[in-house]
Amino acid sequence: MITVTDALARLFELAPVLEIEEVPLLEASGRVLAQDVFSTRDQPPFPASAMDGYAVQNAAPGDRFTVIGESAAGHRFDGSVHAGEAVRIFTGAPVPQGANRVVIQEDVIRDGESITVQEGLDPKPYIRPAGNDFQTGSSLTAPRVLTPGDIALLASMNIARVPVRRRPIVALMSTGDELVMPGETPGPDQIIASNTFGLHALLSGIGAEPRMLPIARDNAASLKTVFGLIDDADLVITIGGASVGDHDLVAPVAAELGMQQSFHKVAMRPGKPLMSGRLGEAMMIGLPGNPVSAMVCGHVFVAPVIRAMLGLGAEPQPRLTAPLTKPLGENGPREHYMRAVCTDAGIHAADRQDSVLLSVLGASNALLVRPVRDPARDVGERVEYIPL
Ligand code: AMP
Ligand code: MG
């Protein structure tokens, strides 16, 4: 049995950083930028007006100017502005040569082709210099998960295709004679496969491409058939059948198929029978079958592995701290990930911690982490948690 930290270190050894692919900008949101990208232009590319008004050379209350033309967005005024001249200008339009400020339209009175500047003139120049936002050679640095704001910035930089990490393809396999798919009619001894669906959702949300394999039954032939469908997956996740019961065939069958095991048991609650290794080209993780165990291991192990494959670094799930609002007893020899509720007041562990209770997981928004042999804790003491 190894520690959670050691297990994560071994998982990272098995997890390759995936290749770079180029995608159209419209498909880049949420993807991981894989290389620094550089602007090939200045924004704005010319000094631009920040307001609707008149471009002039200096101005003071009482000054009169003759309007000699117009500069609109997309249609510049071609000439120069000299003393005593003004060009009608609109937001985003190029400021003509010779002008050093824009007098906003509220600050002038217009009479035919002339304007007079009023008292209380707003002193700001209202000109955005060329390259005010970013300049040729400005970069967006990798790695980063691209946000909608980043997409707008890349568009503005005229970057139409974006180098991103390929999404890890993850094959998800439930195992068990008792399982049927949601929507089917279960027999009297059957339950619905839930783990693969929860993990599918978790994986989709963090940039992986999950694929649902058929449910493998608890016999070697069925397991081999389904293992035969993993195709080009980067990661194969099996669920259940990983303990040492008579029907727990995942480890022996995987070994028969050539899986090189890295570890099999981890000192944690829930989730002890966790296994990992290399199976052909793919990495394999065998998760425990109990639904909460599978989901907790998804957060604690699978999510960091996906981030590592996406080039976001080999780091455990980020943790926060909060004060306890209910006391906790002493912890045993395994790290404990307790389903918990965190509010502005602090955090408390759910009363029922059985690893089969999806209703409790659903009502939780945090995994409160108890270190190995952590002593009893009082209300007000700060504890670490992983937000869900
Ligand atoms: P196992 O490790 O196969 O013995 O599974 C442990 C427990 O988890 C058993 O009660 C299984 O019925 C249950 N279980 C295993 N796989 C799943 C699954 N995909 N969805 C829901 N429950 C499961
Ligand atoms: Mg089973």
Side-chain angles (χ1 to χ4, degrees), residues 175-178 218 239-242 247-248:
T175 71
D177 286 349
E178 75 281 27
D218 288 321
I239 293 144
H247 304 285
D248 293 322

Side-chain angles (χ1 to χ4, degrees), residues 173-176 178-179 191-197 215 218 239-243 247-248 273 287-291 294 356 358:
M173 185 197 307
S174 277
T175 71
E178 75 281 27
L179 301 173
I191 61 167
I192 319 297
S194 56
N195 301 348
T196 30
F197 287 81
I215 296 170
D218 288 321
I239 293 144
S243 313
H247 304 285
D248 293 322
L287 297 182
N290 279 331
V356 299
L358 283 177

